[in-house]
Amino acid sequence: MKDRAQVVIVGGGIIGCSVAYHLTRLGWRDIVLLEQGGVSGGTTWHAAGLVGQLRSSSNLTQLIRYSAELYSQLEAETGQATGWKRCGSLSVARTAERMIQLKRNASLARSYGIEAEVISPSEAGALCPVMRTDDLAGAVWIPSDGKVNPADVTQALARGARAGGAMLCEKVKVTGVRIERGAVAGVDTSEGPIATDILVNCAGMWARELGRLSGVTVPVHACEHMYMVTNPLPGMSSDHPVMRDTDGHIYFKEEVGGLLMGGFDPWAKPWGMEGIPEGFSFATLPEDWDKFEILMTNAMQRVPALETAPVRMLMNGPESFTPDNYFILGEAPEVRRYYVAAGFCSGGIAAAGGAGRALAQWIVDDRAPMDLWQADIRRFAPFHADPKFLRDRASEVVGVHYYIAFPNREFESGRGIRKSPLHERLEVKGACFGAKMGWERANWFAPAGVEPRTVYSFGRQNWFPYVAAEHRAAREAVAVFDQTSFAKLLLEGDDAEAVLQHLCANDVAVPPGRMIYTGMLNDRGGYESDLTVTRLRDDAYFIVSASAQVTRDASWIRRHVPAGARVTLTDVTAAYAVLGVMGPRARALLGRLTDANLNNDAFPFATSREIRVGPALVRASRMTYVGELGWELYVPAESAPAVYDALWAVGQDLGLADAGYYAIDSLRMEKAYRAWGRELTTDDTPLEAGLGFAVRWDKPIPFLGREALLAQRQQLLTKRLLSFVLDDPTALPLGDEPIWCARERVGSVTSAAFGHTLGCAIAMGYVRRPAGVDAAFVAGAPFEIEIAGDRFAARGSLRAPYDPDALRVRA
Ligand SMILES: Cc1cc2nc3c(=O)[nH]c(=O)nc-3n(C[C@H](O)[C@H](O)[C@H](O)COP(=O)(O)OP(=O)(O)OC[C@H]3O[C@@H](n4cnc5c(N)ncnc54)[C@H](O)[C@@H]3O)c2cc1C
């Protein structure tokens, strides 16, 4: 074995082998892959081998489309069979609501370039004759989906990697990781140390433990996952499509002339709580027919032949799951050049090709190749790796695979981990909470006598009228929003201004007390974050961004602090509660609790000051995400309840209302305020997003991404963010729907909500057009938004749909 390598990959499952293969394809040779057992002996060898391409975002879907393409060619390239078969997949619906979901999926698939057809139960029966269809509402057929033999694909990738120069070592266990000055320096193994600058943790369900050795958070937890295989059945051939009956939690696939049937039961059994036994390779778990019963019962309903079919085996194998059902990819925020690809949530065979290629590119270029935020490791914080949280959540996540993906669906497990100081008060007021980054946040408030529980559906959900009232309070009177979960970072030191001038596209060299809305961009001009930066002192800035961004923003800033710069960065998220006091009567309300002059001249927009509000000294920042007069009050956590009580003690006659995050969404959509992760991603620039006003081209310190933006500024903009107003009252877009213009698909919806001031649905989305997207084109374009297969007329605009200042309501 070598004692030095450019890259060390830990884990010889399908993911590790794919990363090794793709690194060699990119021209890297000096790669060592270490596998403690045998190649594919972890979870990979016993996978069912389904390759379904559709995922919840375009980029994740593209990764799997590439996997399918790769698997179809690997045998020719390496001489190793993969078992790839383009057999197509069928998803059936037992209920009307499931059918809506399938139709939405079909729309989504088509918008991502995957052929998908909505078909009748009898057409489904013709494709899958063993299936009972008289109880079905319909189905969707995706002809380009397929299946593989997972162990064979892994061997093919391993063979390709070896041919490209990589060294694969079996029966070598990594026992430690050497870190020097915050970066990878080497690994210790059962066969001795290897010096390396780049480590890739592809250790499957072992990835959390391996991460822990270096303080890297990899929140994965194993759960038992089962399928059974029958003896050969009449009428089965290898061309038989994969079939999913998600209402019954089950899937089917042909296997050596018989049927393989597995599934995702609503609450799975976590496994490996006391650690994974030493030497667990090519191993399985004991059969558990009791646990399998729910799947078996449903399977017999769908395929009656199973009632008598002889069962050849019941496979029970562990697979690792993450807290949100997305896999984990990218460079760990804690250690430089420490990469992770793990937690594939029962989709690792399908994802391996694309995820392996994306991570290899990430390693070679030292940056993500595209927006992969859903899978990005920086979406987590240390609490996500807490064993109890993970165990509970993993068990639920397994079932989520086949839940109906209703909008606003919240996890039930792992709740109550982080609470605002106002939590109990809001609970008493009827808050219905959701969770973001572990924080419990009020989504909406139930009036007296109404249970604060969201009833899920694809139509207007039960909170609709209550959110309408919250919305109106913010537009017409005053509302208080608990926004404590905002990510809050403090950057202090003599070089704070210089560091931020380089990182921020806007000019932060402003006097203390000024607030700046800005993006942090990558070298392609895409958004790494959008945030507000408040200058507190000459040498201190207060940085606020969305709740989910805290790990990512802190990591991005730390990575870009030049050596020797005199700054410290502190996460102060939990130190301050945030009360957003918003609405035309916000000034009147706060005026009753403070001596500070709140007039426009004394306290203009985008300024921030410490003022006394009721019993506490708070930082009041004149900013808004709802498009009304208002202040965000940053209140020391211990004083937040008293300030909240003071607001309510004097605010009732002004029409004060509690309001939650659903109201924020409705309000911000009317004003076309962008959200990071939706309208603003690493693939979108400020020019495309219509935020050129927040770019200072001529700062003394040029910002990261300036060159790319300057180049884009010279060209025609062929992609731009638009707002859309849908006049049909039955249209309820949720996000991700295709946008059409004169029979051409021109984009996808990024966010959508019902605008209660305008009284109709509103969406935002990027439109692409080679001839350019400008006001003249937009004004006359016959846009349509496709929702579950139906197209609704949509009026597009480069400006906000609701803009009373410009006297352009519903322009
Ligand atoms: C029953 C079942 C059915 C499934 N069906 C499908 C399917 O149809 N389609 C699909 O896409 N996915 C499916 N999956 C999921 C899929 O199998 C996994 O997502 C995938 O195999 C994960 O691959 P991996 O490389 O991340 O992990 P693994 O295959 O577990 O590889 C990780 C490797 O790391 C090694 N390792 C760990 N620690 C160390 C160390 N310290 N030193 C050296 N080596 C180490 C382990 O020995 C192991 O071999 C299924 C899973 C199960 C359990």
Side-chain angles (χ1 to χ4, degrees), residues 175-179 182-184 199 201 207-219 331-336 338-340 377 380-385 551 558-559:
T175 52
V177 179
R178 297 181 180 193
I179 314 283
V184 168
L199 177 92
N201 177 345
R208 176 162 55 106
E209 277 310 305
L210 186 65
R212 229 157 56 97
L213 297 178
S214 324
V216 169
T217 301
V218 188
E331 188 184 19
E334 298 92 345
V335 181
R336 189 85 174 99
Y338 187 122
Y339 295 87
V340 178
I377 190 168
F380 294 119
F383 79 86
H384 283 113
T551 307
R558 287 204 174 97
R559 293 275 152 98

Side-chain angles (χ1 to χ4, degrees), residues 704-716:
L704 185 57
R706 181 172 178 270
E707 294 306 312
L709 278 194
L710 276 175
Q712 188 177 51
R713 198 165 62 156
Q714 308 308 320
Q715 293 163 9
L716 192 70

Side-chain angles (χ1 to χ4, degrees), residues 453-508:
R453 194 174 63 85
T454 295
V455 180
Y456 298 126
S457 76
F458 285 112
R460 287 186 183 177
Q461 297 183 346
N462 59 324
W463 43 261
F464 191 86
Y466 316 125
V467 169
E470 294 169 26
H471 175 118
R472 273 195 299 276
R475 284 270 183 268
E476 295 162 17
V478 57
V480 55
F481 299 86
D482 179 5
Q483 294 170 288
T484 299
S485 66
F486 271 162
K488 309 171 202 91
L489 301 172
L490 197 56
L491 187 74
E492 294 171 292
D494 289 346
D495 295 322
E497 180 185 304
V499 166
L500 284 184
Q501 282 293 58
H502 172 59
L503 284 177
C504 296
N506 211 335
D507 187 359
V508 300

Side-chain angles (χ1 to χ4, degrees), residues 101-124:
Q101 155 136 43
L102 291 190
K103 284 181 177 170
R104 293 185 63 88
N105 288 353
S107 292
L108 213 61
R110 287 192 290 263
S111 83
Y112 298 160
I114 296 175
E115 189 187 339
E117 203 185 333
V118 178
I119 58 176
S120 67
S122 57
E123 288 170 313

